[in-house]
Amino acid sequence: MADFNGLQKDWYSILGASPTDDIQEIKQKYQKLILMFHPDKQKPGLSEGEAEQLLQKFIDVDQAWKILSDEKSRKEYNLQLRACELKQSWPVDAHVTLDDMNWDTDGECYTYSCRCGGEFVLYQEDTQEAETVVCCDSCSLSIEVQKEVLLFDRSLRSTFSFTTSRSKTHHVVSIPSGTGMSSCFGL
């Protein structure tokens, strides 16, 4: 997973693979690299620093294989990778509000059906942001979930409200004129 906003290393690049590679291609790359970096296969006389670097590469290759060879963990990793890419201002396929989503009391999350038959899942702790990008759990589509914003008086351009569907609490925030903040809210 590369150091893109929270992911530690890019497991695909460690194996010289890509997300579109099938499991056989990834396995071949893994086998080649694991032999290349295996501690028993190293030349004698390596410095301690070189031996440590090769050992770390061996560990990284092994960890990459563990993540990418398991269908469930690979799918989860791909979703995390996609979410990080989207945070870098990639396009979203739709804009929805929390009110458009369904609250799942068992999973304590919001869900929204994707046109592919999959679902967009937004957990409660992720609803603190004004807008959040969510990836479908079975395809590459993504949506941006926004808290609903309703204007009371457009001529004042200083008052707006939003309602969160879970708590059904109605909030009103006034922004003083001349602060320049109203443009942040599209007022």
Side-chain angles (χ1 to χ4, degrees):
M1 301 189 241
D3 282 327
F4 324 92
N5 305 329
L7 293 180
Q8 297 169 353
K9 296 188 180 187
D10 183 352
W11 302 120
Y12 286 108
S13 68
I14 287 171
L15 294 179
S18 74
T20 58
D21 288 350
D22 65 28
I23 193 67
Q24 280 306 107
E25 292 172 302
I26 293 173
K27 184 177 183 177
Q28 289 172 347
K29 292 173 182 185
Y30 160 75
Q31 288 173 333
K32 179 183 172 191
L33 291 171
I34 207 72
L35 284 174
M36 182 186 306
F37 296 120
H38 195 282
D40 293 341
K41 300 287 184 181
Q42 301 310 313
K43 295 179 258 173
L46 286 176
S47 72
E48 189 176 322
E50 290 172 320
E52 230 175 88
Q53 283 181 328
L54 292 172
L55 179 60
Q56 186 58 51
K57 286 182 182 182
F58 175 78
I59 292 168
D60 288 347
V61 167
D62 189 54
Q63 185 64 34
W65 173 247
K66 286 178 182 172
I67 290 171
L68 299 178
S69 66
D70 178 67
E71 186 179 332
K72 185 178 178 183
S73 64
R74 182 177 181 185
K75 185 176 180 178
E76 184 179 313
Y77 174 70
N78 286 342
L79 287 172
Q80 291 173 353
L81 193 61
R82 174 84 167 131
C84 285
E85 289 171 349
L86 291 172
K87 286 181 182 176
Q88 297 174 7
S89 302
W90 288 53
V92 294
D93 300 295
H95 297 274
V96 299
T97 65
L98 285 176
D99 286 337
D100 296 329
M101 300 182 83
N102 299 312
W103 175 250
D104 177 358
T105 52
D106 294 333
E108 294 190 8
C109 62
Y110 292 93
T111 61
Y112 187 79
S113 296
C114 181
R115 64 182 179 220
C116 76
E119 280 192 327
F120 299 97
V121 179
L122 179 65
Y123 293 96
Q124 183 177 1
E125 60 268 13
D126 297 327
T127 62
Q128 303 306 314
E129 301 292 324
E131 49 191 45
T132 305
V133 175
V134 182
C135 299
C136 176
D137 63 2
S138 62
C139 75
S140 63
L141 295 178
S142 60
I143 60 170
E144 182 177 71
V145 181
Q146 301 171 333
K147 290 183 180 174
E148 186 175 8
V149 176
L150 304 169
L151 298 177
F152 284 131
D153 187 346
R154 276 196 170 279
S155 64
L156 292 176
R157 302 180 68 78
S158 62
T159 305
F160 76 95
S161 70
F162 63 91
T163 305
T164 58
S165 25
R166 178 151 192 251
S167 64
K168 298 294 184 196
T169 304
H170 194 72
H171 305 274
V172 177
V173 177
S174 293
I175 302 170
S177 299
T179 62
M181 290 188 64
S182 58
S183 63
C184 296
F185 299 102
L187 303 175

